[in-house]
Amino acid sequence: MIEVLYMLKIEVWSDFVCPFCYIGKRRLEMAIEEFAHKDQVEIQYKSFELDSNAPAHTDQHIYDALATKFNTNTAQVKEMNKGLIEQAAEIGLIYNYDEMKPTNTFDAHRLAKYAETIGKDKVLTEHLLHAYFTDSRNVGDIEILAAIAEESGIDRDKAFEVLNDSSSFANEVRNDQKTAQDIGVTGVPYFVINKKYAFSGAQPLETFKSALDQVWEQENPKPQFMDLSGDDSGAVCTDDSCLVPPTQNENK
């Protein structure tokens, strides 16, 4: 008998400068680690830019940039970020907002698309997020991106080749963004499972775990087998057990 292995494919739209994306990524990974069918889960990261017009290099401090974006002041931004920093710390992530460098992420997404072609996209994605939020590196700088690529096991020269050609993997990034627009993604992280089930935001760990279990059950219902022996016993079997109701004469 050939065993059919079902898969859950999870597409994740995210940006490398999105604080909720890093938290959501880690919680999803934690949920998968506890999932009974974790070997049958595939993750694919999709490109999304929070601000496609952001400059790659700026002297503006991250607090000032966020204050401008949310039409508030630096003090309120710092207060708002306290909760984020605490959420991140609870799952082992360190957010260093004091030294964080606002930047443009289009080149980082292009590099990630190249990394996907050689099976290095997941490790690069992790390194890019860590570089931005923890190490305060400018992930919009080509030199820094090439260094992060090398740290992720990617040939540095090849990374430079991709990064120095502004058209390289640009269409792949834009295609992800177009798909996001088509399916109504307005914020990230955004998760789509098997192209049928979707939810957004850095949900609590239990929500991720529940989503995996529920989708698995809906996608892979347990088969039921009716007894065809002709004895009209009403026996029903699932892959857990067989239930045979007592006969009418059993207690006579």
Side-chain angles (χ1 to χ4, degrees), residues 65 84 99 128 153 196 225 242 247:
L84 270 174
E99 303 297 329
L128 285 168
K196 293 167 61 178
F225 304 96
C242 289
T247 64

Side-chain angles (χ1 to χ4, degrees), residues 29-88:
E29 292 167 344
M30 293 169 67
I32 291 174
E33 191 58 33
E34 297 182 35
F35 185 48
H37 312 282
K38 63 181 180 180
D39 293 334
Q40 292 159 260
V41 177
E42 175 189 351
I43 299 177
Q44 184 178 36
Y45 291 101
K46 299 287 190 178
S47 301
F48 191 99
E49 292 177 273
L50 289 176
D51 185 359
S52 60
N53 295 316
H57 299 87
T58 178
D59 293 330
Q60 189 176 34
H61 195 278
I62 185 66
Y63 290 131
D64 295 328
L66 291 174
T68 299
K69 179 178 180 179
F70 295 112
N71 193 29
T72 184
N73 57 58
T74 299
Q76 288 179 320
V77 167
K78 289 184 177 181
E79 188 63 31
M80 286 163 43
N81 284 343
K82 282 184 180 179
L84 270 174
I85 294 170
E86 291 172 359
Q87 283 189 57

Side-chain angles (χ1 to χ4, degrees), residues 114-115 118-120 123-124 127 146-156 159:
Y114 163 68
I118 57 173
K120 294 289 185 179
V123 64
L124 178 66
H127 284 185
I148 296 172
E150 187 172 37
E151 293 159 13
S152 304
I154 299 171
D155 182 80
R156 188 186 185 100

Side-chain angles (χ1 to χ4, degrees), residues 98-118:
D98 289 341
E99 303 297 329
M100 210 170 284
K101 296 175 175 60
T103 189
N104 187 288
T105 58
F106 189 70
D107 286 335
H109 283 295
R110 290 197 302 110
L111 182 62
K113 285 301 176 184
Y114 163 68
E116 186 176 7
T117 67
I118 57 173

